[in-house]
């Protein structure tokens, strides 16, 4: 029997802990620095209050600021529940008082842990999964930086040289970015000429250098007007082009590191055997789940966390009105959606299932979500049994994907 519940409102420099008993009475309310000695002292105080009874801890964050606290609690064999911040925010409206304090939030977290039976247990991921979560988060940041930089480059180029902005897809062509690092104005490109630009691009290892040079000169010939402040704009474009090329190099290094790290995990062979999964998506999956699916108990529960289990919105005579749940892990949904898209090109079973859903009248998004749910069930069974995916061409009846 659980006799005490400890709610933690997590922060960067400090946490606030409130401990309540089975009747909801506060036994402790304390603000603690996010330092190991203080956290160990808190753990000792709470265990002393429990006097040998079980304590359930709950927190509103599952990584970041409370990472040290979670590691200490797991290391001491404590049970931890995760309550999303949004849940805490809505639950706070049911408690007395309109004010918001760390102490009130911690008390709400503890009380919700005491009353609810649907909260997700929190476990610290293994060393490899935690490292993959950090690496994939870094990769996502760098990828977002690249998209923002490309958008800024195109917007700036559009102001003084719209023909060159239309000439290339800068999100796909590194050669076009390399061109902008040296030649980026109509008059400058015309002076350099197609032959010299082609030779310079080829010298620097650009692919399709002849086509890039020809397209750039053609764009330059279509504009002879010098827009005001062109010299300022071209300087910004050159800086952005070099920044994007650097981001490409950093992303390549991260991908190599992720591929090396993910190969060390015990589930990698199973994940990579699933059509549509590559090293990066496998790393994102392991980082988001901690490498252990037993915490989700069932495939249906896992599907609810991923956002692939529809939530009913029935009322009165209205039934069968299902919608996507409001609360789900967007990282995991992205993994299954993107892997499903990739599998359409390489997996006959996935393509057949998708086509069947489209013939039933479902939209592309609906068919993809149905496919993602089907693939989730397959992957759950594969990881549970430790078996790899059996392709259709093998002559053995495969699990439906």
């Amino acid at each position: 029997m659980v006799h005490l519940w400890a709610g933690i409102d997590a922060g960067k420099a400090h946490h606030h802990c409130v401990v309540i008993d089975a009747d909801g009475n506060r036994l402790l309310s304390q603000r603690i620095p996010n330092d190991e000695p203080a956290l160990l002292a808190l753990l000792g105080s709470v265990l002393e209050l429990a006097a040998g009874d079980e304590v359930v801890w709950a927190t509103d964050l599952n990584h970041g600021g409370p990472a040290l606290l979670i590691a200490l609690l797991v290391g001491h064999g404590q049970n931890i529940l995760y309550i999303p911040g949004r849940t805490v925010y809505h639950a706070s409206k049911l408690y007395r008082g309109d004010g918001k304090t760390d102490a009130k939030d911690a008390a709400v977290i503890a009380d919700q842990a005491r009353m609810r039976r649907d909260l997700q247990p929190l476990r610290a991921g293994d060393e490899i999964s935690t490292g993959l979560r950090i690496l994939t988060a870094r990769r996502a940041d760098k990828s977002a930086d690249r998209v923002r930089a490309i958008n800024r480059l195109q917007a700036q180029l559009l102001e003084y040289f719209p023909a060159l902005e239309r000439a290339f897809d800068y999100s796909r062509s590194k050669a076009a970015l390399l061109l902008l690092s040296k030649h980026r104005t109509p008059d400058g490109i015309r002076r350099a000429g197609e032959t010299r630009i082609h030779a310079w691009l080829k010298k620097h290892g650009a692919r399709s250098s002849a086509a890039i040079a020809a397209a750039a000169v053609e764009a330059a010939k279509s504009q002879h007007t010098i827009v005001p402040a062109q010299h300022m704009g071209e300087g910004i474009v050159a800086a952005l082009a070099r920044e994007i090329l650097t981001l490409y190099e950093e992303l390549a290094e991260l991908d190599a590191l992720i591929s090396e790290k993910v190969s060390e995990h015990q589930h990698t062979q199973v994940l990579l055997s699933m059509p549509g999964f590559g090293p990066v998506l496998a790393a994102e999956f392991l980082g988001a789940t901690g490498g252990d699916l037993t915490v989700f108990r069932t495939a249906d529960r896992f599907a609810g966390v991923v956002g692939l289990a529809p939530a009913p919105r029935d009322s009165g005579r209205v039934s069968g009105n299902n919608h996507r749940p409001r609360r789900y892990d967007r990282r995991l949904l992205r993994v299954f959606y993107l892997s499903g898209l990739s599998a359409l090109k390489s997996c006959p079973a996935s393509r057949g299932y998708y086509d069947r859903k489209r013939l039933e009248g479902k939209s592309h998004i609906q068919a993809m979500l149905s496919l993602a749910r089907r693939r989730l069930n397959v992957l759950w069974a594969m990881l549970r049994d430790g078996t790899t995916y059996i392709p259709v061409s093998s002559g053995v009846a495969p699990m439906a994907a």
Side-chain angles (χ1 to χ4, degrees):
M1 292 291 293
V2 179
H3 290 274
L4 295 183
W5 289 262
I8 301 289
D9 181 56
K12 295 180 181 179
H14 295 83
H15 309 311
H16 199 104
C17 177
V18 169
V19 179
I20 62 174
D21 60 17
D23 296 323
N25 300 315
R26 292 194 190 188
L27 305 181
L28 181 146
S29 179
Q30 184 178 348
R31 187 169 184 258
I32 319 100
N34 191 14
D35 296 311
E36 184 171 348
L39 295 175
L40 288 174
L42 170 68
L43 176 61
S45 299
V46 174
L47 293 180
E48 184 177 351
L49 283 174
D53 293 328
E54 184 180 356
V55 180
V56 170
W57 300 74
T59 179
D60 59 342
L61 291 175
N62 56 8
H63 63 274
L68 175 60
L69 172 64
I70 293 171
L72 289 173
L73 293 176
V74 171
H76 286 79
Q78 299 297 298
N79 296 322
I80 318 172
L81 299 177
Y82 170 54
I83 305 180
R86 181 171 179 167
T87 301
V88 177
Y89 170 76
H90 289 294
S92 297
K93 299 176 182 178
L94 304 176
Y95 291 80
R96 183 177 58 189
D98 295 331
K100 181 189 182 303
T101 64
D102 293 344
K104 179 182 177 181
D105 288 344
V108 170
I109 292 170
D111 201 38
Q112 289 293 301
R114 178 178 68 92
M115 295 186 298
R116 298 181 62 159
R117 298 295 180 267
D118 61 339
L119 298 176
Q120 189 70 27
L122 184 61
R123 300 180 185 176
D126 57 60
E127 178 71 21
I128 299 174
S129 297
T130 303
L132 290 173
R133 177 177 59 79
I134 294 172
L135 287 174
T136 52
R138 179 65 172 169
R139 187 185 187 279
D141 289 341
K142 288 295 181 181
S143 186
D145 289 343
R146 180 182 59 182
V147 172
R148 283 192 292 266
I150 290 173
N151 290 338
R152 293 189 190 110
L153 181 145
Q154 291 179 307
Q156 189 63 56
L157 194 58
L158 187 63
E159 288 195 10
Y160 75 90
F161 198 173
L164 191 62
E165 190 275 336
R166 293 192 305 269
F168 306 110
D169 183 353
Y170 296 99
S171 64
R172 295 178 179 271
S173 177
K174 293 183 182 179
L177 293 169
L178 185 61
L179 168 74
L180 293 180
S181 67
K182 184 174 179 62
H183 305 287
R184 50 198 170 268
T185 62
D187 50 330
I189 291 176
R190 286 196 300 269
R191 284 196 304 268
E194 183 176 338
T195 302
R196 290 173 60 187
I197 293 175
H198 167 48
W200 184 82
L201 289 173
K202 186 176 181 180
K203 178 182 177 182
H204 287 80
R207 294 182 179 180
S208 305
S209 55
I212 296 293
V217 171
E218 182 179 356
K221 289 179 179 179
S222 68
Q223 179 177 331
H224 293 270
T225 300
I226 297 178
V227 177
Q230 174 180 285
H231 65 288
M232 295 293 295
E234 67 160 314
I236 294 174
V237 166
L240 286 170
R242 288 191 289 268
E243 178 184 342
I244 297 167
L245 288 170
T246 301
L247 287 170
Y248 271 110
E249 294 175 0
E250 292 178 355
L251 283 168
E253 293 174 0
L254 280 171
D255 286 346
L257 187 57
I258 289 171
S259 298
E260 178 184 354
K261 190 71 175 177
V262 77
S263 64
E264 301 173 5
H265 200 277
Q266 59 178 340
H267 294 323
T268 298
Q269 184 178 0
V270 174
L271 287 170
L272 294 183
S273 72
M274 184 74 168
F277 270 87
V280 173
L281 286 181
E284 291 185 5
F285 177 87
L286 293 171
T289 60
D292 181 13
L293 294 187
T294 59
V295 69
F296 301 104
R297 299 190 182 93
T298 66
D300 291 341
R301 171 62 179 161
F302 184 47
V305 173
V306 175
L308 293 174
R313 296 288 189 274
D314 297 345
S315 180
R317 297 181 180 179
V318 177
S319 61
N321 186 20
N322 296 326
H323 296 271
R324 184 185 299 177
R326 294 180 179 178
R327 293 177 297 167
Y328 57 92
D329 192 317
R330 283 161 175 78
R331 298 169 301 171
L332 284 171
L333 181 61
R334 177 181 178 274
V335 166
F336 280 99
Y337 190 89
L338 292 181
S339 68
L341 279 177
S342 179
L344 291 181
K345 304 174 184 178
S346 59
C347 178
S350 295
R351 168 54 72 175
Y353 185 85
Y354 171 83
D355 291 341
R356 187 162 72 250
K357 290 300 176 182
R358 291 306 304 272
L359 290 175
E360 292 173 3
K362 294 185 180 295
S363 67
H364 169 70
I365 298 295
Q366 291 172 329
M368 285 304 306
L369 291 176
S370 297
L371 174 62
R373 174 58 193 270
R374 191 69 171 267
R375 287 167 54 82
L376 180 147
N377 291 340
V378 173
L379 187 59
W380 176 277
M382 289 165 56
L383 292 171
R384 179 196 62 202
D385 301 336
T387 57
T388 56
Y389 183 81
I390 303 174
V392 176
S393 59
S394 67
V396 181
M399 293 179 287

